[in-house]
């Protein structure tokens, strides 16, 4: 059987780990890991675990009862019939979803849940059915879950025409057709773009081609890296200390492997959490035996005569003997196939409105083209209507649900996607969880718990209001901060509460100027200048 | 004479059998201020928010209502108070002592303990039901709902089987003392005398287990030093008592409320007979529909809290009315219906946040096993009196006896 846990919701209550201890495991205080393909003999215990979960985060591959049209924010609603065509679209329309991962799958399930009975085609470049990526950098590397066991469970039958192993290469909006790598074309009435992102590879192609140099994004990547780690390399080099880099380093230490992390910025997780909280993540690494080098770049990688990686040269002048190097340099959005389509798509993703409808280059919203998941970039009212791309598991699901609902709804029945972004990571036995957008902040204050105990909660502020909160092993308190972010509550928080630290003074959050085009790109589609008659997509190279 | 308030009616024993219409009335205002300056919160969203709100303290020493009721710590009349447990502490102490206790009970250190008790629980239930042989009148409380959890918690903690008779009396007195209907002086007196006896009982037990440790939880807590050290003895005694009392009193109510609900819904009883696994979601629905714990008293606002259009002032005492929140129509559809396989059943039966019931997994498993056996083995069970007599407490609510007639048992 298959299962998946929505770890965005999980608050670490451990009811599942009590009731099905062979399937669910708690690491440290509250970090949950699980076997996504447990033995069928565990079904009763897993049903117990799923029923007992206080936040109902466990999904098993049995058709759930339809939940009706419930907004991902929790607001109930009903799918209104589409005006104008008398609901015939819902009965016999053609929907194409490009992208067969979490977002694409969830959208497909949602379309059927809301009564879409027309034809549904799902196009995926990878040959696999949709699978779950978070375990790849954790359980799969650690060897507790085989990479092929990450297939996502189905909530229901979706009766789709699956076109796997074939990439979409173009979009003809006028003809309403998707072009495929095999030369085929598929017509649609409505389209969902959910092509996600891919790993940014090591920029030197010759070095990237060495055996032992790899990225970690796909199931194959994870299987390869798992094999390499199982051979017990002399040392692993992790290039970049974002979430993937930190999680790989964590697993290496769990496996007792020597690991060096080279991070160009001043601290791990700097882009996500800023330098102050990132430094604490760095302390966790050092305490756990990682050779962490911040402010250090990898200059070059050497191979031996057989083309196997053997050495790395670092900007601090040192040389490391390494057999494996993981380039964890962030992601690239899979939007190239949309070039020339007329959509507002570029390296920053595909721009869409709050209802997941794609914008064209002139800033006009399309009626029939929707976007969801990592590839999308939508205006976020809580952050000044900035177009934010959110590469989080929960966002991929909630946007998929909104997009699917809106594809089937009349104008007045549509939903906006206003969910507060959330992410989680598990490293060195510590669960790091976030709500809001920390990188929007200028200041940060530790308001609950103790940094020394590695159990604390930090609140992020921007110009005197709360924009995010990050918890280290304190995630049961996190939901308190979500409405404060939504309501732009004042920062620093001034109320009295339990577990106040001795010094909760705000300090500069220390975010580096963005090195990542996804943070700083400008989508010039909103028409801020009245004399501007047409929009122009910038192709600006960012540092 | 003024009309008694809704809350006074809820506390009034005459409404114990069916307080739900009163909860509906209470919920018309999510937050109610009582004459003594304390606040009741009765709607789901507000209760759930306050359970996760760091401005709400569980430290009973900070609570004005607890002080007025003489319920604060260290005040049991003999100058030698009971040490507080993690139940009435805030983080970081709460978290630390809960972890130290959890170390021997559940994940991450002892993940298989509760699941590993399933076979033993089944055995206990089988024995209890075997004793009901022949056409007879049985009392579900005395014959099943009480002995199962009390046997389980005693075995878990390492309390010798014969001791149950000793502590039962004191526990009854201690629980009576929590009845808000009693005057504070009587409450305090009762608590003091029961507290002294219980403490002496547990001190003796801890010492005996330290001398000759077994595989039980008290032995482990009394001898094992984890990464965060051992609990001080005074607290070990209070925590042992907390686990002993909370570890069975609430589960008794869960099982007997469950049996009563099934007898009132024969079609659902038949469904459970046909599909024993229906007990899994059914217990969650019971925790929502007929929860064993109706409210959480003595929480304290540490700052002004704006909620549902009301400002609860700093220092005010809060009572979270879980049973009212569980039937909030803004949270669940058809809240007054018992729907055993209700999907996505998020309820307040075990509270929430850092204080979520410590023994929840144990209670769930016991209730699932007991109710499955109740449905499958009792022939033609029928209620003798409906409603049955109830125990006095308005917040730990359940029948004191639940008489049923059966035509025998199936083996």
């Amino acid at each position: 059987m298959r299962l998946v846990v929505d770890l965005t919701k999980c608050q670490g209550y451990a009811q599942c780990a009590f009731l099905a201890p062979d399937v669910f495991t708690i690491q440290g205080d509250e970090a949950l890991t699980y076997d996504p393909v447990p033995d069928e003999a565990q079904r009763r215990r897993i049903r117990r675990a799923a029923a007992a979960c206080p936040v109902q985060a466990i999904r098993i591959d049995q058709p759930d009862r339809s939940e009706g049209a419930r907004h991902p924010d929790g607001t109930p609603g009903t799918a209104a019939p589409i005006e104008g065509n008398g609901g015939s679209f819902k009965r016999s329309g053609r929907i194409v979803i490009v992208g067969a991962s979490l977002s694409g799958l969830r959208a497909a399930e949602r379309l059927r849940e809301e009564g879409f009975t027309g034809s549904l085609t799902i196009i995926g470049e990878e040959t696999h059915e949709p699978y779950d990526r978070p375990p790849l950098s954790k359980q799969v590397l650690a060897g507790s879950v085989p990479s092929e066991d990450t297939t996502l469970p189905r909530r229901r039958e979706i009766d789709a025409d699956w076109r796997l192993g074939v990439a979409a290469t173009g979009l003809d909006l006028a003809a309403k057709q998707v072009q495929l790598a095999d030369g085929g074309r598929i017509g649609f009435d409505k389209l969902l773009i959910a092509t996600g992102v891919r790993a940014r590879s090591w920029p030197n192609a010759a070095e990237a081609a060495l055996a032992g140099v790899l990225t970690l994004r796909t199931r194959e990547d994870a299987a390869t890296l798992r094999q390499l780690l199982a051979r017990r390399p002399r040392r692993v080099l992790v290039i970049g200390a974002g979430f993937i880099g930190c999680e790989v380093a964590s697993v290496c230490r769990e496996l007792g492997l020597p690991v060096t992390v080279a991070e160009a910025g001043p601290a791990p997780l700097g882009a996500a959490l800023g330098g102050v909280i990132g430094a604490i993540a760095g302390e966790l690494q050092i305490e756990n035996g990682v050779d962490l080098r911040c402010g250090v770049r990898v200059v070059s990688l050497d191979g031996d005569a057989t083309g196997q990686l053997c050495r790395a040269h670092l900007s601090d002048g040192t040389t490391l003997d390494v057999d494996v190097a993981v380039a964890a340099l962030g992601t690239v959005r899979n939007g190239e196939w949309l070039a020339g389509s007329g959509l507002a798509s570029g390296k920053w993703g595909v721009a869409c409105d709050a209802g997941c409808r794609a914008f064209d280059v002139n800033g006009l919203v399309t009626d029939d083209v929707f976007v969801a998941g990592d590839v999308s970039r939508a205006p976020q009212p809580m952050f000044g209507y900035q177009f934010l791309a959110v590469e989080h598991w929960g966002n991929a699901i909630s946007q998929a649900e909104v997009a699917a609902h809106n594809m089937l709804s009349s104008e007045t029945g549509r939903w906006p996607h206003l969910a507060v972004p959330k992410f989680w990571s598990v490293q060195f036995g510590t669960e790091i969880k976030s709500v809001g957008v920390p990188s929007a902040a200028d200041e940060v204050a530790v308001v609950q718990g103790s940094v020394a105990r590695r159990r604390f909660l930090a609140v992020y502020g921007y110009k005197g209001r709360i924009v995010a909160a990050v918890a280290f092993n304190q995630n049961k308190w996190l939901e308190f901060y979500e409405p404060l972010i939504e309501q732009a509550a004042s920062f620093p928080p001034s109320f009295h509460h339990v577990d106040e630290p001795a010094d909760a003074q705000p300090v500069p959050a220390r975010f580096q100027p963005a090195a990542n085009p996804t943070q700083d790109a400008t989508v010039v589609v909103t028409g801020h200048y009245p004399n501007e008659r047409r929009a122009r997509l910038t192709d600006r190279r960012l540092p | 004479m003024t009309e008694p308030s809704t809350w006074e009616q809820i506390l009034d024993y005459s409404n114990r059998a069916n307080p739900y219409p009163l909860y509906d009335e209470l919920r018309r205002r999510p937050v109610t201020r009582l004459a003594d300056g304390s606040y009741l919160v009765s709607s789901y969203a507000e209760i759930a928010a306050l359970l996760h709100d760091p401005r709400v303290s569980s430290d009973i020493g900070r609570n004005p209502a607890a002080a007025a009721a003489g319920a604060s710590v260290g005040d049991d009349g003999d100058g030698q108070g009971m040490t507080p447990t993690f139940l009435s502490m805030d983080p970081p102490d709460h978290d630390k002592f809960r972890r130290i206790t959890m170390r021997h009970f559940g994940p991450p250190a002892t993940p298989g303990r509760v699941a590993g008790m399933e076979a033993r629980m089944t055995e206990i239930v089988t024995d209890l039901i075997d004793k009901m042989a022949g056409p007879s009148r049985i009392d579900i409380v005395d014959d099943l709902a009480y002995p199962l959890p009390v046997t389980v918690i005693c075995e878990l903690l390492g309390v010798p089987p014969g001791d149950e008779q000793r502590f039962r009396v004191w526990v009854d007195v201690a629980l009576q003392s929590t009845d808000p209907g009693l005057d504070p002086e009587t409450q305090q007196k009762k608590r003091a005398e029961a507290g002294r006896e219980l403490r002496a009982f547990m001190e003796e037990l801890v010492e005996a287990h330290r001398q000759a440790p077994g595989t039980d939880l008290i032995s482990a807590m009394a001898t094992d030093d984890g990464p965060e050290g051992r609990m001080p003895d005074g607290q070990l005694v209070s925590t042992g008592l907390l686990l002993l009392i909370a570890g069975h009193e609430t589960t008794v109510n869960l099982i007997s409320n469950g049996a009563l609900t099934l007898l009132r819904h024969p079609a659902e009883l038949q469904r459970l007979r046909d599909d024993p696994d229906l007990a899994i979601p059914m217990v969650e629905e019971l925790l929502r529909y007929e929860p064993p714990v109706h409210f959480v008293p003595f929480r304290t606002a540490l700052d002004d809290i704006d909620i549902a259009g009301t400002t609860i002032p700093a220092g005010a005492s809060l009572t979270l009315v879980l049973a009212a929140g569980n039937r909030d129509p803004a949270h669940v559809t058809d809240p007054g219906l018992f729907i055993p396989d209700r999907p996505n059943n998020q309820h307040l039966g075990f509270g929430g946040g850092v204080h979520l019931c410590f023994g929840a997994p144990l209670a769930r498993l016991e209730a699932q096993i007991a109710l499955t056996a109740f449905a499958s083995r009792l022939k033609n069970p029928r209620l003798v009196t409906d409603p049955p007599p109830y125990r006095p407490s308005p917040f730990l609510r359940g029948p004191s006896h639940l008489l049923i007639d059966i035509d025998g048992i199936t083996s």
Side-chain angles (χ1 to χ4, degrees):
Chain A
M1 63 185 293
R2 290 182 201 155
L3 67 87
V4 67
V5 181
D6 183 345
L7 292 166
T8 308
K9 284 187 188 168
C10 174
Q11 294 183 12
Y13 287 108
Q15 299 300 296
C16 55
F18 270 106
L19 294 167
D22 297 330
V23 179
F24 302 94
T25 312
I26 297 286
Q27 262 183 288
D29 282 4
E30 59 183 31
L32 178 69
T33 54
Y34 59 93
D35 178 357
V37 187
D39 195 289
E40 190 60 35
Q42 295 287 330
R43 187 176 282 272
R44 176 178 287 175
R45 284 183 160 187
I46 291 165
R47 285 190 63 189
R48 281 189 180 132
C53 175
V55 293
Q56 296 288 291
I58 301 171
R59 292 283 167 214
I60 314 174
D61 64 350
Q62 57 187 12
D64 285 358
R65 204 200 276 192
S66 172
E67 293 165 41
R70 186 168 273 268
H71 188 275
D73 294 349
T75 331
T78 11
I82 292 174
E83 287 159 17
N85 59 9
S88 69
F89 170 74
K90 200 165 168 176
R91 281 196 304 278
S92 54
R94 295 173 304 168
I95 290 181
V96 170
I97 296 175
V98 185
S101 194
L102 180 65
S103 209
L105 174 66
R106 188 67 198 110
E109 289 172 333
R110 187 74 204 212
L111 287 167
R112 295 303 191 201
E113 274 163 26
E114 293 207 14
F116 176 68
T117 54
S119 88
L120 182 58
T121 304
I122 302 176
I123 299 165
E125 183 172 13
E126 292 187 63
T127 52
H128 311 293
E129 282 187 38
Y131 60 89
D132 204 28
R133 297 184 199 272
L136 298 181
S137 56
K138 305 174 188 81
Q139 296 101 301
V140 172
L141 289 193
S144 57
V145 171
S147 66
E148 61 273 18
D149 279 2
T150 50
T151 303
L152 285 161
R154 295 289 170 77
R155 295 162 64 106
R156 53 167 299 126
E157 284 301 318
I158 50 178
D159 186 25
D161 178 18
W162 292 87
R163 304 291 295 269
L164 298 177
V166 53
T169 52
L171 171 63
D172 182 341
L173 273 181
K176 299 189 92 167
Q177 287 180 333
V178 174
Q179 293 144 15
L180 301 181
D182 64 6
R185 288 172 159 256
I186 299 178
F188 60 83
D189 298 321
K190 289 180 196 267
L191 171 71
L192 178 65
I193 297 167
T195 42
V197 299
R198 62 183 183 275
R200 182 183 303 278
S201 46
W202 180 242
N204 181 315
E207 293 174 8
L210 293 171
V213 179
L214 72 171
T215 56
L216 177 51
R217 175 74 190 173
T218 66
R219 189 183 256 189
E220 285 77 12
D221 294 340
T224 307
L225 183 53
R226 167 63 200 158
Q227 278 175 8
L228 295 176
L229 297 184
R231 280 185 221 146
R232 309 212 57 85
R234 289 171 298 167
R235 176 167 291 273
V236 176
L237 172 63
V238 176
I239 311 171
F243 285 110
I244 293 292
C246 291
E247 290 175 8
V248 170
S250 171
V251 172
C252 286
R253 292 311 300 146
E254 219 177 290
L255 297 172
L257 297 172
V259 57
T260 297
V261 173
E263 164 57 44
L269 304 178
L273 302 180
V276 175
I277 305 301
I280 300 163
E283 287 166 22
L284 278 177
Q285 299 211 357
I286 292 164
E287 285 159 18
N288 283 278
V290 175
D291 171 29
L292 173 66
R293 307 202 188 176
C294 292
V296 170
R297 290 176 185 273
V298 174
V299 178
S300 62
L301 301 172
D302 293 349
D304 64 15
T306 67
Q308 162 66 46
L309 170 71
C310 61
R311 201 173 302 110
H313 300 278
L314 273 52
S315 65
D316 61 4
T318 59
T319 299
L320 292 172
D321 290 337
V322 292
D323 305 321
V324 176
V326 182
L329 301 167
T331 56
V332 179
R333 282 160 218 286
N334 293 319
E336 293 90 342
W337 67 286
L338 295 167
S341 68
L343 290 183
S345 163
K347 60 165 75 329
W348 49 81
V350 185
C352 63
D353 73 355
C356 301
R357 294 181 298 175
F359 280 115
D360 76 7
V361 288
N362 293 315
L364 298 176
V365 79
T366 56
D367 279 333
D368 299 326
V369 182
F370 292 74
V371 197
D374 292 358
V375 75
S376 77
R377 187 171 161 78
Q380 178 47 274
M382 278 171 272
F383 302 98
Y385 291 98
Q386 284 181 80
F387 278 69
L388 291 183
V390 177
E391 290 179 34
H392 302 157
W393 196 94
N395 185 72
I397 288 187
S398 58
Q399 266 194 329
E401 296 190 337
V402 169
H405 173 85
N406 289 349
M407 286 173 114
L408 302 180
S409 299
S410 67
E411 199 159 338
T412 51
R414 287 180 191 140
W415 289 338
H417 180 256
L418 301 176
V420 183
K422 290 172 194 163
F423 66 73
W424 83 90
S425 174
V426 176
Q427 35 195 278
F428 309 103
T430 298
E431 181 163 70
I432 302 174
K433 217 156 175 181
S434 156
V435 58
V437 180
S439 59
D442 50 20
E443 289 188 300
V444 65
V446 172
V447 299
Q448 273 181 254
S450 146
V451 170
R453 288 197 310 264
R454 307 289 183 237
R455 296 181 178 104
F456 66 91
L457 202 142
V459 171
Y460 288 73
Y462 177 66
K463 293 188 175 169
R465 68 186 181 90
I466 296 176
V467 293
V470 170
F472 277 49
N473 284 337
Q474 286 283 297
N475 102 61
K476 290 179 188 69
W477 297 111
L478 207 52
E479 75 173 54
F480 169 71
Y481 293 92
E482 190 174 335
L484 298 185
I485 295 163
E486 288 175 331
Q487 294 152 20
S490 66
F491 177 90
S494 57
F495 44 80
H496 290 292
H497 54 78
V498 302
D499 206 5
E500 289 181 18
D503 179 16
Q505 288 308 304
V507 296
R510 293 184 15 223
F511 281 97
Q512 293 292 301
N516 182 339
T518 63
Q519 288 187 323
D520 217 23
T522 305
V523 178
V524 282
V525 294
T526 52
H528 281 301
Y529 307 102
N531 60 346
E532 195 174 21
R533 307 301 287 269
R534 289 191 66 83
R536 183 173 54 82
L537 292 177
T538 59
D539 190 20
R540 186 157 55 98
R541 301 275 167 201
L542 288 156
Chain B
M1 281 290 283
T2 52
E3 189 83 348
S5 70
T6 307
W7 184 239
E8 284 165 337
Q9 293 178 64
I10 288 168
L11 300 182
D12 186 333
Y13 182 75
S14 63
N15 288 311
R16 201 66 76 243
N18 185 16
Y20 296 103
L22 293 165
Y23 290 141
D24 292 342
E25 211 173 296
L26 194 63
R27 213 187 305 103
R28 282 190 209 141
R29 283 166 51 185
V31 181
T32 310
R33 186 181 187 276
L34 298 182
D36 66 358
S38 65
Y39 287 77
L40 299 173
V41 184
S42 53
S43 50
Y44 181 91
E46 280 68 31
I47 294 170
L50 291 174
L51 287 168
H52 290 88
D53 192 327
R55 297 169 299 180
V56 176
S57 169
S58 297
D59 181 347
I60 202 164
R62 304 175 89 141
N63 188 277
S72 49
V73 192
D75 187 20
D76 67 354
D78 64 353
Q80 253 202 319
M82 195 86 88
T83 314
T85 63
F86 56 81
L87 180 69
S88 46
M89 285 180 189
D90 289 331
D93 293 341
H94 161 274
D95 297 0
K96 177 181 167 184
F97 290 120
R98 186 169 164 133
R99 274 196 306 270
I100 290 178
T101 313
M102 186 61 83
R103 184 174 151 73
H104 310 290
F105 178 63
T110 319
R113 187 154 210 159
V114 170
M117 294 177 79
E118 184 179 352
R120 177 64 187 135
M121 290 179 190
T122 307
E123 189 178 71
I124 298 168
V125 168
T126 303
D127 288 351
L128 290 169
I129 294 187
D130 285 346
K131 286 185 194 151
M132 301 170 187
S136 58
R137 173 161 294 187
I138 56 173
D139 180 353
I140 288 297
V141 176
D142 284 351
D143 299 342
L144 176 67
Y146 179 81
L148 167 65
V150 88
T151 308
V152 169
I153 196 70
C154 285
E155 290 185 7
L156 180 69
L157 291 176
V159 177
D163 283 4
E164 182 265 315
Q165 294 304 328
R166 293 173 66 200
F167 69 74
R168 185 173 190 173
V169 182
W170 306 321
V171 169
D172 280 347
V173 175
L175 289 184
Q176 280 165 29
S177 80
T178 62
D179 181 353
L182 292 177
D183 67 278
E185 208 171 307
T186 314
Q187 280 188 12
Q188 186 166 344
K189 195 161 154 272
K190 279 175 176 286
R191 184 171 27 254
E193 79 193 37
R196 266 192 304 274
E197 302 279 12
L198 282 167
R199 212 169 55 219
F201 167 76
M202 187 54 71
E203 277 164 358
E204 195 182 303
L205 201 65
V206 167
E207 196 43 44
H209 284 66
R210 186 167 285 151
Q211 298 307 318
T215 55
D216 56 84
L217 218 144
I218 288 183
S219 294
M221 287 175 62
T223 57
D224 177 85
D225 292 313
E228 293 178 283
R230 196 184 293 173
M231 237 181 235
D233 273 3
Q235 195 171 102
L236 184 51
V237 167
S238 328
T239 305
L241 286 173
L242 171 69
L243 299 182
L244 176 63
I245 299 169
H248 73 273
E249 279 303 330
T250 48
T251 316
V252 177
N253 292 343
L254 179 59
I255 297 171
S256 38
N257 288 337
L260 175 61
T261 303
L262 284 168
L263 291 166
R264 286 171 174 172
H265 296 83
E268 306 302 343
L269 179 59
Q270 186 55 47
R271 283 182 67 201
L272 179 58
R273 271 186 205 117
D274 298 340
D275 172 18
D277 280 359
L278 184 63
I280 295 169
M282 178 182 284
V283 165
E284 302 305 316
E285 176 69 343
L286 285 169
L287 286 158
R288 183 196 71 81
Y289 178 81
E290 282 281 16
V293 179
H294 272 224
F295 39 90
V296 174
F298 301 145
R299 298 253 168 133
T300 315
L302 299 181
D303 210 318
D304 290 356
I305 298 175
D306 293 325
I307 192 158
T310 302
T311 299
I312 298 172
S317 175
L318 294 175
T319 294
L320 309 178
V321 191
L322 306 178
N326 272 345
R327 294 200 184 198
D328 184 343
H331 174 66
V332 269
T333 47
D334 300 323
L337 296 186
F338 172 63
I339 302 172
D341 48 355
R342 188 182 281 279
N344 291 313
N345 194 347
Q346 288 188 52
H347 56 75
L348 299 167
F350 287 125
V354 298
H355 288 278
L356 182 104
C357 175
F358 184 89
L362 196 65
R364 288 185 153 113
L365 204 49
E366 288 176 40
Q368 287 167 15
I369 292 168
L371 292 173
T372 304
F374 169 84
S376 64
R377 296 198 60 204
L378 269 51
K379 284 187 196 162
N380 189 23
R382 45 219 188 263
L383 272 171
V384 175
T385 44
D386 190 5
Y390 272 81
R391 308 168 83 183
S393 173
F395 85 93
L396 300 175
R397 176 180 167 272
S400 51
H401 296 284
L402 186 61
L403 295 178
I404 62 172
D405 286 333
I406 54 172
D407 295 345
I409 55 165
T410 54
S411 47

